[in-house]
């Protein structure tokens, strides 16, 4: 009996903003008062084109990040590829509480991605990869907290109830 969810950042709107920026930069470089000649571009190592293409490449790589969350009888495992190549296991023995929590990505954590809680609460970390407002909150016995956003919040809640019933895990509330 295991729950698994895979998520990634969806940044389609950032491509639109970058496209608008690229059109403006290229129109200035190529068409302003006759534009830059090929020799000038070559002497500058095609810097304007690199300045346009590099942000697209960075956003593309960010969208290739994937978070995998697995919950089973031995504990909770997660991986945030490419920053973690192996699943990291959080055993039930180290966890004090696990529950579904409501959060505000911008107000509580300042955005999306791997974030620490705002206002110098460095013991509270979050993996927020969607626009939903509920996720899996984990509180450890050492006082640290970890939050995972979830697209399957109803399935996750039912799975936690079944897991607690079947294995009598006290951390699940």
């Amino acid at each position: 009996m295991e729950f698994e969810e895979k998520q990634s950042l969806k940044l389609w709107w950032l491509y639109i903003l970058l496209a608008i920026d690229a059109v403006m930069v290229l129109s200035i470089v190529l068409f302003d008062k006759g534009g830059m000649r090929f020799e000038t571009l070559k002497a500058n190592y095609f810097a304007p084109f690199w300045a346009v293409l590099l942000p697209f490449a960075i956003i593309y790589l960010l969208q290739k990040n994937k978070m995998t969350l697995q919950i089973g009888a031995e504990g909770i495992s997660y991986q945030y590829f490419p920053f973690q190549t192996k699943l990291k296991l959080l055993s039930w023995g180290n966890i004090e509480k696990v529950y579904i929590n409501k959060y505000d990505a911008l107000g509580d954590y300042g955005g999306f991605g791997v974030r620490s809680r705002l206002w110098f609460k460095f013991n509270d970390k979050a993996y927020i990869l969607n626009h939903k407002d509920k996720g899996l909150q984990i509180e450890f016995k050492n006082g640290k907290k970890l939050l995972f956003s979830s697209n399957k919040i109803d399935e996750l809640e039912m799975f936690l109830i079944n897991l607690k019933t079947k294995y009598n895990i006290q951390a699940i509330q």
Side-chain angles (χ1 to χ4, degrees):
M1 185 164 146
E2 190 172 275
F3 174 83
E4 182 175 63
E5 181 177 7
K6 294 185 179 187
Q7 298 180 53
S8 62
L9 284 171
K10 307 278 191 267
L11 301 172
W12 60 269
W13 54 271
L14 202 51
Y15 282 118
I16 295 171
L17 292 176
L18 287 176
I20 293 169
D21 181 52
V23 167
M24 290 189 315
V25 168
L26 291 176
S27 65
I28 291 170
V29 168
L30 298 177
F31 302 118
D32 185 41
K33 295 181 184 177
M36 291 181 87
R37 294 183 302 138
F38 181 74
E39 292 80 24
T40 310
L41 281 172
K42 189 175 178 183
N44 291 328
Y45 301 104
F46 300 97
F49 293 107
W50 288 112
V52 168
L53 293 177
L54 189 61
F56 281 102
I58 291 170
I59 299 304
Y60 177 77
L61 290 174
L62 283 175
Q63 283 196 289
K64 291 300 173 186
N65 293 346
K66 295 219 182 305
M67 187 193 66
T68 304
L69 178 67
Q70 296 176 347
I71 304 173
E74 64 279 347
I76 300 171
S77 301
Y78 69 97
Q79 174 189 13
Y80 190 54
F81 183 82
F83 303 108
Q84 292 173 306
T85 55
K86 296 181 181 179
L87 284 169
K88 183 175 181 181
L89 177 66
L90 309 171
S91 66
W92 292 118
N94 297 331
I95 298 173
E96 186 174 326
K97 289 189 219 177
V98 175
Y99 55 94
I100 304 300
N101 190 19
K102 187 173 177 131
Y103 64 91
D104 179 18
L106 292 174
D108 294 340
Y109 295 96
F112 299 91
V114 181
R115 312 295 293 207
S116 290
R117 192 166 183 99
L118 294 177
W119 314 116
F120 304 105
K121 296 182 180 177
F122 297 114
N123 287 337
D124 198 348
K125 188 175 180 183
Y127 290 82
I128 303 174
L129 300 173
N130 63 29
H131 64 281
K132 310 252 191 237
D133 64 346
K134 287 186 178 178
L136 179 69
Q137 181 74 56
I138 304 169
E139 293 183 14
F140 296 97
K141 292 182 178 176
N142 63 5
K144 293 187 178 186
K145 294 181 181 181
L146 187 60
L147 175 79
F148 293 101
S149 63
S150 178
N151 290 323
K152 305 175 183 178
I153 204 70
D154 294 331
E155 289 179 40
L156 179 59
E157 194 168 17
M158 291 303 295
F159 180 80
L160 289 175
I161 291 169
N162 289 337
L163 193 66
K164 180 178 181 168
T165 306
K166 186 172 183 178
Y167 293 105
N168 195 23
I169 299 171
Q170 299 300 318
I172 299 173
Q173 295 184 350

